[in-house]
Amino acid sequence: MARRSHAVTQGVERAPHRSLFNAAGFTDEELARPLIGVVSAFSEIVPGHIHLDKIADAAKAGVRMAGGTPILMPAIGVCDGIGMGHSGMKYSLASRELVVDSVETMAEGHRLDGLVLIPNCDKIVPGMVMAAARMNIPSIVISGGPMLAGRHRGRGISLTTNFEAVGAFKAGFIDEAELTRIEQSTCPGCGSCSGMFTANSMNCLCEAIGIALPGNGTTPAVYAARTQLAKRAGMKIMELVEKDIKPRDILTPTSLRNALAVDMALGCSSNSVLHLLAIANEAMLEMDLNLINEISNKVPNLCHLAPAGPHHMEDLYMAGGLPAVMKQLADSGFLDTSVLTVTGKTLAENIEGAVNENPEVLRPMDNPYSDTGGLAILFGNIAPEGAVVKRSAVAPEMFKHSGPARVFDSEEESIEAIYAGRIKEGDVVVIRYEGPKGGPGMREMLSPTSALAGMKLDKTVALITDGRFSGASRGASIGHVSPEAAEGGNIGLIREGDIIDIDIMGHALNVKVSDEELAERRKSYQPPAPRVTSGWLARYAELVSSASTGAVLKYNGLRGGK
C-alpha cells in the first residue's frame, strides 16, 4: 500500500531526498517503515511542558515497538499564567494559529504518515487538535497530564489561590509573609495547573471526543501511568495508520455533542467554547452556540473542581476519571456511545466497566451539583451574537444581577481601579477593546477576577468583557461578548453608570438603554486606533474572526479541506 512518506523515500527520483535522511542518521530500514511525526511542545519555561521531552521519548518508544519510525518535531507554547495581566497575554490565543500552521507545515513539507501530538497547556491542545482536523492524516493526542495540587495549611490549592491571594493582600486580609507562603506552595511540579482550567478542560475533552486514549485527561503528569499512556499512544498510532483511521472519522457532529455533554458535566473552562468552535471549523463541521445552551439545559453539572470547588484533577483521576464521568452520562442517555475513537473501538467499549469511586468528587446523576451544565451562552443587546459564562463557578446569588456599569477600555485600567478600591458592591465592571481584533488577541482577565475574589467581592460584583476569562476565574465573569467593541459591538456604546441586567439562568445580558439611545450614541462613536500596528499580531488583528465563530482566521470561507 502506498504511503504518504513514499513521496520522499521511494523510487530512484527520491535518491536526493534519501541522502538528506541519511545525513540525519536514518537507516534504510527506518525509511522503509511509516514515518510518524512526534510533535512535542517541550520547553523550559512552561511548567506544563517541562517534562514533555520524557513524554515524547515514551511515545517514540511506542512507535518503534509497533514498527514505525518516530521523528521528533517542535511546537511552540505560551504559558498563560506567566503571560497573565500584561501585554504578553495578547500572544496566547493568537499562538493557537501558529501551532496549527506549524504542524501543517512540518507534516506536509515532509509527507509524514501519521502524527503523535504532545501538547499540555491552554492553546497548544486545541491548536494541535485543529491541526489534526485540518491535515486529516492518522493522528493521536497524548498530553503531558495535570499538575498535582499544592498544599497550604492542610488543604489543596491551585494557581487560582495564588492569584486571589494578591487581591487579599491588597485588601489587607493577609500579610506579605502569608502571600509568600502561598506563592511557594501553589505549584509543586510539572503539569498543567491542577484545577479544571482551560488546559485540563481541553485535555479531558480530547478524551471525550475520542482523539486521545482513555486516561489522557486526568492521569497526573508525575505518575508512571502517564509515561505508560504515552507509550501506548505511540503504539496506537501505528494501528491508526494501518487501518487508515483519520481525525475526521472521529471528529463528527455526534462526537462534538458528546464533548459538549462532558463539558457541562465537568464544569469546563469557558474557553472550551472558543476552542470547540475552532476545532469544528477545521473539521468542516457546523456548530451553533444555541446547541451549547440546549445541551447545558439538559446535562447536570457533576463536578466542582477548582476554581468552582475544593477538588483538583488528581481527585477526579482517583474517582475514575473521564471513563467514570462518561459512563454515568451514557447510562442516562446523554452520550451516543457508538462513535469511533482512537482506540479503534467505540466509546461504549472504552467505558465498559467504569466505576465512580468517589461520589463527592463525581456526583451521581441523582445528586448533581446543579441540574444544569457548567456553561451558559447569554444573548441580549450587549451580546447579540452571544457571550459565555462558566455558570458552575458563579455564586447562586449572582445568577441574577443588576448594577451600574463601571467602564474600562483595557484590562490594566480595570485592575488599577480594583486594587485602588474604587469598585463597590453591586457594580458591573465592563472591560472592552480586549476582543480578538481589539486586544488584539483576546486576553484572559484572571487578574481582575482574582483580585475581586481575593477582596471578597466575587459574590457582589460582575464582570463582562469582549476578552476572555481564564478557566481559573470564578464569579459572574462573562466573556466573549460578540460583536466585540473593535468591530462596532454595542459593548463599545456602554457608558459609565448605565444599568446592566444579567440573568444567567435566563441566558440574558442587556444594558437598560433603548435601541433609539444606542443608535444615537453610535452616531458619535469613535473607536480607538489599533493598539498594535506591526509584527504578526497586527496581521492577526486583520484576519481574525469573531469569538462567536471561534476566533479563527478568515480566509477563503471555512478552513481546512485537505
Side-chain angles (χ1 to χ4, degrees), residues 2 16 40 54 76 173 199 205-206 245 260 296 298 387 412 438 440:
S40 169
K54 307 298 189 300
I76 65 166
F173 295 134
L205 294 183
C206 284
I245 297 175
L260 284 171
S296 184
K298 296 176 182 176
E412 287 82 359

Side-chain angles (χ1 to χ4, degrees), residues 113-116 136-140 237 240-241 244-247:
D113 296 306
L115 297 170
V116 179
N136 204 33
I137 63 174
S139 303
I140 191 169
I237 189 62
L240 297 176
V241 169
D244 198 29
I245 297 175
K246 299 186 177 77

Side-chain angles (χ1 to χ4, degrees), residues 92-94 96-97 122-123 126 130 198 202 205 260 263 269-281 287 289 292 375 377 388 435-436 441-444 466-469 479-482 540 544-552:
S92 173
L93 178 61
R96 185 187 70 182
E97 311 308 308
D122 292 29
K123 309 309 168 297
M130 289 164 66
T198 304
M202 293 310 302
L205 294 183
L260 284 171
D263 192 322
S269 165
S270 59
N271 285 315
S272 62
V273 173
L274 201 67
H275 299 319
L276 288 174
L277 286 166
I279 290 167
N281 183 44
M287 181 175 154
L289 285 175
I292 295 169
L375 297 180
I377 310 298
V388 184
M442 205 180 180
R443 287 192 291 181
E444 289 184 344
D466 51 10
R468 298 179 294 131
F469 289 110
H480 306 197
V481 169
S482 301
Y540 176 85
V544 70
S545 73
S546 167
S548 63
T549 56
V552 297

